[in-house]
Amino acid sequence: MIFGAMDQMKNQHEDLLSAVVPLMKLLCLTVIGLILAHPKTQIVPRATFKLLSKLVFALFLPCLIFVHLGESVTLNDVLRWWFVPVNVLISTAIGCTLGYIVAIICRPPPQFFRFTVIMTGFGNTGNLPIAIVGSVCHSSDNPFGPDCHRTGIAYVSFAQWVAVILVYTLVYHMMEPPMRYYEIVSGENEIEEEHTSNISRPLLHEAEWPGMVDKVTEHSKTPFIARVFMSISGSSQNTFPDLDLTEEGGAGVGPSSPKSLRCLAEPKVVRRIRIVAEETPIQHIMQPPTIASLLALIVGMVPIFKDFVFGTDAPLSFFTDSLEILAGAVVPSVMLILGGMLAEGPNDSALGTRTMIGITVARLLVLPLVGIGVVALADKLSFLVQGDQMYRFVLLLQYTTPSAILLGAIASLRGYAVKEASALLFWQHICAVASLSVYIVIYFKLLSYV
């Protein structure tokens, strides 16, 4: 009886260590990055961290995705893993619902209502989960078996393309400056842009998707959708210049045109939806990580290609081994960059302390609890891969991470709530150290019963 109790206590202690130690490793890497980039020491200049971020984005991360996703995936797996990208959509929808509730309860300044919803709804589904999985699988006694790292990275990578599409469509348009505050926001942006160069730009803007803030278009810093759709009733014509909505067969068809041509004219609402779609930068999703995911899926699903690229006897095994060596730099690089971002400290924010606390609590404490229920329900409905604990762990992580760092770059691109995004991301990542530790312990305990 006594020995049984002692064994149980020992197992609980080991479970606790296996859950907390990986985060402590990541925390150490982050602290090192913070020390190296701290303004008082400046051992490593900010430009070096930006270069490292570009290397991660253009080289290390694509290598990691291609090697692990390509080796793991098959056509059958693509059909079995369908709930991984669907779970991203579910977690985002639930997060946005929580964000709407936070905005109603905490009553942020009106111009930050949509911002509150976005920052609560969209979590980090890329670099941070990859780092957590890599750290968890680093030890030989991890609870997920010998294929822990390969399968974990494959599951995370399989979900990334959904998150990127959401960012370049839904998030991009939701982050446009509110029309009522356009003049204030645009005025602040003009002042900031005069004093901000690529070198002095905060690391937050380059930390996860380098180069995004340089993809400025004619309408990226304007309330474009509001202007397009409010022009139907003419209510915005006194405030903004008219948009060029005339096209052949469209609005340019005057009253004197033949009746047959007027009947064929494109309806105003349809024309405006098409114009908004044309201004959506969906073409930017084809970046190195996304391309690596597509190549990995193609190679993995075609047996001839897979045998040629992967495996100890494969003709290109020397090439994939080289990519795997480069892929090993992802986790330390990502955490060093995060430390460099945190070293810059939080900016002044007009969001309000109550709203910042509300977003943080909803994102880091409430959403993971809801996620446990969603994953448990999906498991009960047999939507998940049977007996695969890593599959469930990655699904749960999608509800647990802080808001995506990528949102800071989107805010800068749209010229909306840049300081607020920086401050909120700073405090969320500080608080995430505690919340992730608690929930990973809970997840390991729950997964032990699966």
Side-chain angles (χ1 to χ4, degrees), residues 14-223:
E14 290 176 352
D15 291 341
L16 183 63
L17 285 178
S18 62
V20 174
V21 168
L23 280 179
M24 297 304 295
K25 296 175 186 177
L26 297 181
L27 181 61
C28 288
L29 291 172
T30 306
V31 171
I32 292 172
L34 192 151
I35 294 172
L36 292 176
H38 198 275
K40 291 185 178 180
T41 58
Q42 279 290 310
I43 299 173
V44 176
R46 182 187 301 167
T48 304
F49 281 93
K50 292 186 177 182
L51 177 61
L52 180 61
S53 178
K54 291 180 180 179
L55 280 172
V56 170
F57 177 73
L59 181 62
F60 299 156
L61 183 59
C63 290
L64 180 78
I65 291 172
F66 180 79
V67 169
H68 292 289
L69 181 59
E71 189 176 4
S72 302
V73 73
T74 63
L75 180 58
N76 185 48
D77 288 333
V78 171
L79 299 176
R80 292 193 306 141
W81 296 356
W82 66 271
F83 193 75
V84 175
V86 169
N87 193 58
V88 175
L89 299 176
I90 295 173
S91 64
T92 301
I94 296 173
C96 289
T97 303
L98 289 175
Y100 186 80
I101 295 172
V102 169
I104 292 176
I105 295 175
C106 297
R107 289 176 296 175
Q111 65 268 35
F112 299 127
F113 191 95
R114 277 189 283 114
F115 174 79
T116 301
V117 176
I118 294 166
M119 294 300 289
T120 311
F122 292 85
N124 192 322
T125 58
N127 290 357
L128 189 56
I130 284 176
I132 293 172
V133 168
S135 184
V136 167
C137 299
H138 185 70
S139 57
S140 58
D141 60 343
N142 70 80
F144 300 109
D147 291 332
C148 171
H149 192 261
R150 181 172 58 84
T151 56
I153 298 300
Y155 294 149
V156 175
S157 302
F158 192 65
Q160 271 195 309
W161 60 271
V162 180
V164 172
I165 291 175
L166 285 175
V167 165
Y168 274 113
T169 53
L170 182 61
V171 174
Y172 178 84
H173 287 304
M174 287 185 71
M175 287 286 273
E176 74 173 22
M179 193 165 67
R180 286 181 57 195
Y181 300 89
Y182 170 63
E183 295 179 0
I184 299 174
V185 173
S186 62
E188 290 177 352
N189 287 334
E190 290 175 2
I191 296 172
E192 287 180 3
E193 287 175 1
E194 290 176 1
H195 298 89
T196 304
S197 64
N198 289 336
I199 298 176
S200 61
R201 183 184 295 156
L203 184 59
L204 170 72
H205 300 167
E206 304 286 334
E208 194 161 300
W209 206 262
M212 175 179 286
V213 292
D214 296 324
K215 302 183 189 300
V216 178
T217 64
E218 179 184 358
H219 301 294
S220 62
K221 294 184 183 293
T222 64

Side-chain angles (χ1 to χ4, degrees), residues 412-434:
S412 180
L413 175 65
R414 299 310 310 259
Y416 170 56
V418 179
K419 293 181 179 179
E420 287 70 27
S422 176
L424 186 57
L425 287 170
F426 176 87
W427 291 116
Q428 273 202 34
H429 281 80
I430 294 296
C431 296
V433 174

Side-chain angles (χ1 to χ4, degrees), residues 347-402:
N347 287 329
D348 295 332
S349 172
L351 187 62
T353 304
R354 180 172 58 183
T355 305
M356 291 182 68
I357 293 174
I359 295 173
T360 303
V361 169
R363 178 77 225 174
L364 299 181
L365 298 181
V366 179
L367 186 58
L369 292 175
V370 179
I372 293 173
V374 172
V375 174
L377 179 61
D379 195 11
K380 188 174 182 180
L381 296 173
S382 300
F383 290 165
L384 311 184
V385 178
Q386 295 300 317
D388 192 336
Q389 293 182 329
M390 176 54 76
Y391 188 90
R392 289 159 177 78
F393 181 66
V394 170
L395 294 178
L396 291 167
L397 273 184
Q398 292 175 350
Y399 293 89
T400 318
T401 54

Side-chain angles (χ1 to χ4, degrees), residues 293-326:
S293 299
L294 292 176
L295 288 176
L297 290 172
I298 293 171
V299 172
M301 289 190 297
V302 181
I304 297 176
F305 293 165
K306 192 168 188 176
D307 293 338
F308 192 76
V309 176
F310 297 105
T312 55
D313 298 329
L316 290 182
S317 60
F318 68 92
F319 177 68
T320 51
D321 286 346
S322 301
L323 297 184
E324 193 164 1
I325 293 171
L326 290 171

